[in-house]
Amino acid sequence: MQAVLTRSAISDELRSRFACAKNVVVLTGAGVSAESGVPTFRGGGQTAVWKGMPFDVISSAGTLERDLPAVWEWFNYRRGVLRTLRPNPAHEAIARWQDRFESFTLVTQNVDGLHAGAGSRNVIELHGSVWRARCLTCNARTSLRDSDHQEGVPSCFECGSSMRPDVVLFGEMLPPGAFERAAMEAESCELCFVVGTSAVVYPAASIPEIARAAGAYVVEVNPEPTPLSNICDEVLVGKAGEILPLIG
Ligand code: BV8
Ligand code: ZN
């Protein structure tokens, strides 16, 4: 049974750096939404998640090419699950932090929109959002928040072509400028938090590496070790929803 971290677990070093930092970057993954009930991916790996297909197969450019309706079924299911879920204290703490620092950048791999749901503004959604669709021809975007789209492939309201979920699939480029902006902020931040990610998927996982190389103090929050743990200055072992409110 994992001990719940108490306030004392947060080092004086981190407390003082948190108190006087001007430029802070936070990178999040599925773990920050785990306490909201969002299933995690466990390293995006080979576990079958949908109709016998591993996650990085159903969520890949190849499957979109071959079977667009199947990809819509998968994201309709994901939206259905997410529609009932709410931000948790980890999302709320991060939302509070955005007004504490001169410059604050929230970079997420999550497509669930829960950071915005907690009040976070200008979230860099590196991998897009399940709440948007994008036209395969004219790139027009439309929100799926209020639509109960459940069947088939929606058509573009601009040009009538087929639309696709506005998420970044494996083998696809990230949204123009999204990674570049995140990397630029990571290069100039003093404090970088890595919350709830298995740090397996690239280029997202390189953000904390960029911050570390630029001299930032890097803090990981995760109940498990990850490939990033040994480059971090501080590792807080536990749940984000329990730990982040202890920091500030
Ligand atoms: C690209 C959207 C250019 C869709 C996603 C370099 C090396 C190796 C491979 C590559 C490389 N560069 C590119 C690649 C290929 C690939 C890649 O990284 N593959 C991996 C599997 C090795 N990358 C790409 O394809 C990227 N595009 O590189 O474009 C290019 C183009 C063509 C050819 C080459 C290059 C695009 C990647 C984006 C894919 N889309 N999501 C969807 O959601 O369906 S990725 C998706 O999986 C998520 O967004 C996230 O990124 C990843 C899952 O990771 P996590 O979020 O970290 O979640 P996970 O479950 O794994 O871990 C949860 C963690 O939380 C755990 O550590 C757990 O302990 C912890 N936890 C649990 N509970 C809690 C907690 N922590 C705190 N509190 C808790 N309560
Ligand atoms: Zn169109």
Side-chain angles (χ1 to χ4, degrees):
M1 208 336 261
Q2 185 155 67
V4 175
L5 278 193
T6 61
R7 196 165 286 286
S8 61
I10 312 296
S11 73
D12 298 344
E13 171 86 21
L14 176 52
R15 283 199 184 294
S16 63
R17 285 174 180 269
F18 191 81
C20 57
K22 290 187 180 31
N23 185 335
V24 175
V25 168
V26 175
L27 173 72
T28 65
V32 80
S33 296
E35 290 151 271
S36 296
V38 181
T40 61
F41 303 93
R42 300 297 310 123
Q46 293 309 305
T47 42
V49 292
W50 183 255
K51 302 203 166 162
M53 276 188 273
F55 164 64
D56 50 3
V57 172
I58 181 66
S59 279
S60 72
T63 305
L64 187 92
E65 198 74 33
R66 274 192 310 279
D67 190 349
L68 180 57
V71 172
W72 269 110
E73 256 188 271
W74 162 230
F75 284 101
N76 293 345
Y77 158 75
R78 304 262 298 273
R79 279 197 325 281
V81 171
L82 287 171
R83 221 175 264 290
T84 61
L85 304 179
R86 293 284 160 274
N88 67 61
H91 298 109
E92 287 146 10
I94 292 169
R96 278 197 306 277
W97 294 359
Q98 67 189 331
D99 301 318
R100 267 187 85 114
F101 305 99
E102 260 173 47
S103 162
F104 180 82
T105 306
L106 173 56
V107 186
T108 190
Q109 299 166 79
N110 302 343
V111 295
D112 58 28
L114 289 175
H115 280 301
S120 284
R121 302 182 301 272
N122 316 322
V123 182
I124 299 180
E125 294 179 314
L126 282 182
H127 297 160
S129 170
V130 296
W131 299 109
R132 286 191 307 268
R134 186 172 87 237
C135 174
L136 286 166
T137 306
C138 75
N139 252 356
R141 282 180 169 76
T142 184
S143 167
L144 295 170
R145 280 256 177 227
D146 323 325
S147 95
D148 60 353
H149 170 74
Q150 274 314 321
E151 289 312 311
V153 173
S155 302
C156 174
F157 54 97
E158 294 281 350
C159 74
S161 305
S162 295
M163 299 193 92
R164 53 158 295 160
D166 191 22
V167 296
V168 177
L169 302 173
F170 282 99
E172 293 186 328
M173 306 304 273
L174 275 52
F179 179 76
E180 293 70 13
R181 198 152 73 82
M184 193 183 64
E185 296 295 344
E187 256 150 21
S188 56
C189 73
E190 300 112 1
L191 190 51
C192 174
F193 289 92
V194 190
V195 183
T197 184
S198 58
V200 169
V201 170
Y202 278 76
S206 68
I207 297 289
E209 295 167 347
I210 293 167
R212 189 72 187 71
Y217 190 78
V218 182
V219 180
E220 181 174 61
V221 179
N222 196 314
E224 317 245 346
T226 75
L228 279 174
S229 304
N230 53 20
I231 71 149
C232 290
D233 299 282
E234 193 160 336
V235 175
L236 301 173
V237 179
K239 297 181 172 182
E242 293 164 5
I243 293 175
L244 297 190
L246 298 177
I247 300 172

